Amino acid sequence: MPSADSRPYFKILQNFTPDYAPCTITKYESERTGMSIVVVDRQGPKVNGFFALATEIHDDSGAPHTLEHLCFMGSKSYRYKGVLDKLATRAYSNTNAWTATDHTAYTLDTAGWDGFAQILPIYLEHVIVPTLTDAGCYTEVHHVDGSGHDAGVVYSEMQGVQNTQGELMELRSKRLMYPENVGFRYETGGMMEQLRVLTADRIRKFHRDMYQPKNLCLVIVGDVDHANLLQILEKFETTILDDIPRPDAPFQRPWVESDPAPPLTKSTREFVEFPEEDESSGEITISFFGPSCNDLLYATALNILLVYLAGSSASVLENTLVEKEQVASAVYYSIEIRPTIVIQFALSSVATERLQDVEGRFFEVLKNTAANKLDMTYLKDCIARERRLIKDSAESSNTPFSEPIIYDFLFANRDGSMLKEDLENLNEFDELLTWPEEKWRQLIGLWMSDAHHVTILGRPSATLSKKLRLEEKQRIEDQKKRLGRTGLEALEKKLAQAKAENDKDIPKELLERFHVPSTKSIHFIGTTTARSGAAKKLGHLENNVQKLVDSDDNGSPLFIHFEHVPSNFAHVNLVISTEAVPVELRPLLSVYLENMFTSPIERHGTRIEFDRVIMELEKDTVGYGIGLASALGNPEVLNMRISVEVEKYASAIRWLKEIIWSSVFDVERIASTTVRLLADIPEAKRSGSNMLFAVEEMIHSAPASVVRARSTLVTALYLKGVRHLLKEDPNILIGQLQQIRDALFKFENIRAVVMANVEKLNKPVSSWAAFTAHLDTSKTLNPIEKRLSRLSEAGRKPGQLSYVIPMATIDSSFALLVASGPSSLQDPRIPALMVALSYLDAVEGPMWVAVRGTGLAYGTSFSRHTESGQVSYSVYRSPNAFKAFQTGKSVVEDFVSGKTEFDKLALEGAISSIVLGFANGQATMAAAAQMSFVRQVMRELPDDWNERILEKVRGVKVEEIRTAMKELVLPVLKAETANLIITCAPVMQGELVKGFQDLGFKPEVRSLAYFQDDYGIEVPAGEKEEELLDVEDTSEDEDEDGSNDESDS
């Protein structure tokens, strides 16, 4: 219903169609409240909402971040924690939020307009009129529990990141870039010491100041019913007018009407230590101020310059510092969109003793670039490629333009005039092509080489690592003593009361008022399949695209699968079997694949150096790469891809041929790649989550597994052997790389996949003739290898292994349990298992409420892995992974025993979430095409499998779900049927071991080095011993200082 006087309050400020993207953009503004709405109309099954508020604060209290959590705790009309997510789940929707320095955004991710429209007003009320109770602030932000430990969802989140290398360096950089009266200086996530004293009243005041409709922009992307949208918003505004500050009250627009950031008056360089046991390598960040974010031409020019300087291995900084001099493993660039753009370069994995020298060398290269002639041909290629990438993103991104629209709302004119200038066309690229070389060099000097800057040299410190742990331990002990038994008991009671208030049951009649929407508004993207060569053995197709392909059939037996979509780009892929690669050489794939597109090539008797190859590739393509085909559902095979404008289809095939067979195995390039890969390993080993899954790969996969062979715990040793071989006898290594190439690129190993507008392809089949000309096409196509066949004995029959791995680089714990499960999507148990896992894992569902809702972990999830015949349960970032596990196990046991009944409305929500998952998998043209190929070829499923499985899911009975939980889910939580892996802070080791032992597990405490495998390559003895000590000494140090004393836990 419209508002009472039927007056239309929303006026159109802008309406335009970008001349390079399949969408229309409309900006509305409410004349009543000032709320902004920008709709990006585009076809597809998804409607995505981003509800952004400009949020500015001048302290580290974390108030902006707390609201990102507290707004989900209930609203004026829906005063129950979790009601929003329970309703959203039933409406094919998912909610989330993020807090940036300059804004907070709430997201609504939905399949179809009807579900989106149903949830929108409820969600907006949660944002604008939340409950913000004392109890909600106490549990969600910070509290001290009955054991004397600090907890709270927000507190625990920041505890996990505050002392990491990235956070420490970024915070110090911000402190030096901005003075105290500028909001960009502060940590909006909240510093732990300030979260401990943050009050509910301070949070409420910040909400009242910032969370006003005039400071809110709704960005909605998808197939939108505009009339329905405006009707919903007008009704919503009417309901909140008495709850918000008067729309005409004075309001200082954040950032735009605040004190601007002054320019830097000097350059600053500081060391920042971060906790790390491995002190061999550090990081460098270098920050500058650039142009105004509202100057479209110069902001675009800046982006082009950054691509020229550090966009690829052919760019100046990357080529010099990484490829040739090997003083860093990578040079990255980033920009922060602010009133004055911030430019930042990051140099990773720099030898600690050379941090200052490498920073100096960075500026030498930068100054030399600005002082000498630029490669204008390459720079103009960068301009052309960036234009192509924007066009491709407009097609391939699920949410095109959402980010520039948000930043336009934050910093530009509210009338949308700059938005139209920015997004209507790409004319700025035409102007940049006319700029003289001198102007580009001046800008390098103005913004970078001659500009004041802030350099942070991140230096690892084992001493700091131990110091922080001991200080935190002492703080907790002092806190316990200060509170005493009486105080702790009072806090335990206060927490229980707060939880009881927060967790009041949601009346069923409230949820029942909202029906599950029809799926009629979910418009899936259709694709048309055609086949050529060996692909025709999958079945004969009758459609116009097939006729077009048949008309160009030259009799080639090459397997070519076409997916026809209305795209301006052609995505050409090769799916390649790895079965013929000798097992002992499979770890060498890390080097081979990394070098694939960055090696010299031999062309007509002339050697083309790698940087020129990259420049030519970038000139012709919008993307290229090679790696494991995880996105295609099978990480045991390779996926080589090149994406081009559709008229360059033949060029893409020519590049594939040249990169595969004309690449030169150059010792210098191989050495550079090896050094770079080795330099990245210490950073990879700092992550508890990464190492959890690395250990999982090592114990559950057989040596034949490509996934295992490329694991960090293999490459950490194997690459040292490669480095040794490069010094002693590089010809052996060259021969091995040649052996890999010969094993991979045989006719019988290759399947080609083309996703494009086939009607626009010139010679869709015969263009491949040159590619296959030298291949033995008489061979029969090999079957696609299965992940299941490359499991270890432990992977095939879980239930024997339990490991606890202490890591000094983390402050929390992570757990993973794996058991056997269905190994085929056509297994009759799959529908019930899908519903069971969706039910358990729902936002505000059983596991969420029991584990995350009580602060036992930041998150948990169940997963099914049909490709490996496994089911898993993971605990992410927990103060005690055993307690999180034990609680989750109880939840499942209660459903299995019948102690807890299944909720009918929650089951409807579980099924709706599965529908949303299908929409997510085919949200864009490229994604829909890829999903069609995966279904038909990789998974060998019938054409109507999606429809059939959804029909079966809707028909699943409660007893079937209970059976699935008993037979497939509960075994993941039992010692006799599941393998257990835990990574944790050393101080947690004792309590975790004891807890799991009490439940029948037999955990062994091991270092990461225990799981490493060199695959038989010769590693110099000193280096292997050094690798062992790097990891093992950590737990020994912890034992010596007593920090894993079980009595502390």
Side-chain angles (χ1 to χ4, degrees), residues 522-561:
I522 306 175
H523 302 140
F524 287 98
I525 297 171
T527 71
T528 305
T529 301
R531 296 165 180 155
S532 176
K536 287 187 174 181
K537 294 181 180 178
L538 297 178
H540 180 70
L541 299 172
E542 286 287 349
N543 58 62
N544 290 334
V545 179
Q546 185 64 58
K547 291 176 183 177
L548 191 63
V549 168
D550 288 344
S551 69
D552 186 47
D553 194 338
N554 61 350
S556 170
L558 179 67
F559 182 108
I560 312 177
H561 179 105

Side-chain angles (χ1 to χ4, degrees), residues 325-396:
E325 299 179 5
Q326 300 172 20
V327 296
S329 67
V331 178
Y332 303 104
Y333 72 85
S334 62
I335 58 173
E336 290 281 353
I337 304 298
R338 292 174 181 171
T340 301
I341 292 173
V342 175
I343 307 160
Q344 186 173 92
F345 290 95
L347 286 73
S348 62
S349 301
V350 177
T352 304
E353 67 276 9
R354 297 200 61 195
L355 287 168
Q356 288 178 276
D357 294 340
V358 172
E359 186 232 8
R361 181 61 182 139
F362 172 90
F363 278 101
E364 284 180 10
V365 176
L366 205 55
K367 289 179 181 294
N368 287 339
T369 302
N372 295 294
K373 289 286 185 182
L374 302 180
D375 183 343
M376 288 303 293
T377 300
Y378 179 52
L379 193 144
K380 289 183 177 181
D381 286 344
C382 290
I383 295 172
R385 190 166 195 263
E386 285 303 295
R387 189 205 295 259
R388 290 197 302 274
L389 288 172
I390 290 173
K391 291 181 179 180
D392 179 54
S393 176
E395 275 191 15
S396 60

Side-chain angles (χ1 to χ4, degrees), residues 38-108:
V38 181
V39 179
V40 181
D41 280 297
R42 60 175 282 155
Q43 295 299 306
K46 298 293 297 298
V47 180
N48 292 90
F50 303 84
F51 314 145
L53 299 117
T55 46
E56 180 178 3
I57 196 166
H58 291 183
D59 60 42
D60 299 315
S61 67
H65 184 198
T66 66
L67 286 171
E68 173 205 319
H69 293 258
L70 292 170
C71 283
F72 291 95
M73 299 289 285
S75 69
K76 179 179 72 169
S77 306
Y78 307 90
R79 306 183 68 84
Y80 302 93
K81 175 188 175 185
V83 67
L84 171 63
D85 283 307
K86 286 182 180 293
L87 292 172
T89 301
R90 286 164 49 77
Y92 316 117
S93 299
N94 184 43
T95 68
N96 211 332
W98 74 74
T99 303
T101 302
D102 46 31
H103 71 277
T104 304
Y106 296 84
T107 65
L108 179 58

